[in-house]
Amino acid sequence: MGKGSGFGKVIVFGEHFIIYGAPGIVAPIDLTTDATGTRRGDGKILIDDRRVGTPGYVESKREQQIESIERMSRKAGLDGVGLDIDLGGALPVFSGLGASGASCVAFARAVSDEFGLGLSDAEINDLAHEGERAYHGEKTAGLDNLAATYGGLLRFEKGKPEDFECLAIDHPVEVVIGNTGIVANSKAVIDGVGERRKTRKDEYDALAEQAKTVGESGLQALVAGDVEEVGRLMNENHRLLQAIEVSCPELDYLVDLAGKEGAIGAKQTGSGGGGCMLALTPGADLQEKVASAMERDGYAVLRARIGGAR
């Protein structure tokens, strides 16, 4: 039996705009998806997915999950090989937390372990990126699988995977992750941005340029520990995501609620169309205040911290 794990994540800056050249700034969540893989003699692939989280998430992703595993198996030279796959772990399946990327990395590591492939982190990441195409489409930047493979605060640019940076924040900061309860179809959301950009290219390119500035400035503020500036730029990033029509009323409501409760900044995290938002809430008291307000309104939340050494 082979075993493997992959980290969850939040995108602090850059989702969607990564595809058009903006940097992606991603922070890990100290929760993982865990997988085991055991070879079968009959060529069948059987999946026991015991992850918990948003109702209907696992079922709605089943076809993409099967395609993902088939893609990774082919790339690993295991096409036609039977497998029993078990998925679990503490990372909840909330859209926006990199659940699919974490599962791809966990599967890749479990298969490497079971078949003695000895894959390096770089090879695990490459294999998981192939699996992520089933969930996010051929244009996926590969940020979720990168975060799931390496953990740590990361800066990433599409097309330059060898140039990603692993960083650390000296003083981790508390955040609240609010879940809309809507299972996002990341591929459809990403494809929608591409379709709208065809007729609004100048507008979308201008927004991408703004996102580049926001991302680079946000990274500098994170490393410097300037939480006020990080929060301001998170708010600006959310405005840009609204402008390309990937937010939704539930995300906007949670972002506004976080601000009213005192969050320094808040934004969608992940592809949007549902899924999760991220609120910057330095200090345990503020974190609890914001989280409790969301819970009173019936939303599931995670209390977490971003930053720190890998």
Side-chain angles (χ1 to χ4, degrees), residues 236-303:
E236 178 64 11
N237 197 160
H238 188 69
R239 182 192 68 78
L240 295 171
L241 293 167
Q242 289 174 313
I244 61 170
E245 301 176 38
V246 294
S247 187
C248 66
E250 293 82 1
L251 283 168
D252 291 340
Y253 174 79
L254 287 172
V255 166
D256 290 343
L257 177 60
K260 289 175 182 176
E261 293 295 327
I264 305 299
K267 61 180 285 292
Q268 165 190 323
T269 185
S271 61
C276 291
M277 54 75 66
L278 173 70
L280 189 65
T281 55
D285 290 344
L286 179 57
Q287 181 187 50
E288 187 58 34
K289 183 173 185 286
V290 173
S292 295
M294 293 179 185
E295 288 174 332
R296 284 195 299 271
D297 277 3
Y299 292 94
V301 304
L302 288 176
R303 296 159 176 83

Side-chain angles (χ1 to χ4, degrees), residues 82-294:
L83 285 167
D84 278 320
I85 303 164
D86 291 323
L87 289 173
L91 179 69
V93 285
F94 295 168
S95 295
L97 298 188
S100 64
S103 69
C104 287
V105 169
F107 171 77
R109 285 187 166 136
V111 166
S112 178
D113 186 26
E114 172 68 356
F115 292 94
L117 302 180
L119 299 181
S120 67
D121 280 348
E123 290 168 325
I124 291 291
N125 179 59
D126 189 47
L127 190 60
H129 191 185
E130 178 64 22
E132 275 283 84
R133 291 188 170 95
Y135 293 99
H136 300 297
E138 295 297 331
K139 291 184 178 180
T140 183
L143 185 58
D144 284 9
N145 49 270
L146 192 70
T149 299
Y150 292 97
L153 183 70
L154 298 171
R155 179 193 184 279
F156 170 78
E157 288 185 40
K158 186 184 179 186
K160 299 180 181 179
E162 71 281 1
D163 293 335
F164 73 88
E165 297 178 73
C166 293
L167 307 163
I169 304 173
D170 289 337
H171 303 288
V173 60
E174 289 78 11
V175 298
V176 173
I177 300 163
N179 180 23
T180 63
I182 300 170
V183 178
N185 185 331
S186 298
K187 184 178 184 299
V189 176
I190 292 168
D191 287 347
V193 173
E195 287 300 312
R196 290 189 293 276
R197 183 174 178 268
K198 290 177 182 178
T199 58
R200 299 159 61 184
K201 185 175 185 301
D202 289 346
E203 176 189 351
Y204 272 45
D205 286 354
L207 292 168
E209 286 300 315
Q210 294 177 50
K212 290 180 186 179
T213 300
V214 167
E216 294 293 1
S217 299
L219 177 60
Q220 293 174 16
L222 274 167
V223 173
D226 187 349
V227 293
E228 293 290 339
E229 181 67 358
V230 172
R232 184 188 73 79
L233 291 165
M234 286 174 62
N235 292 335
E236 178 64 11
N237 197 160
H238 188 69
R239 182 192 68 78
L240 295 171
L241 293 167
Q242 289 174 313
I244 61 170
E245 301 176 38
V246 294
S247 187
C248 66
E250 293 82 1
L251 283 168
D252 291 340
Y253 174 79
L254 287 172
V255 166
D256 290 343
L257 177 60
K260 289 175 182 176
E261 293 295 327
I264 305 299
K267 61 180 285 292
Q268 165 190 323
T269 185
S271 61
C276 291
M277 54 75 66
L278 173 70
L280 189 65
T281 55
D285 290 344
L286 179 57
Q287 181 187 50
E288 187 58 34
K289 183 173 185 286
V290 173
S292 295
M294 293 179 185

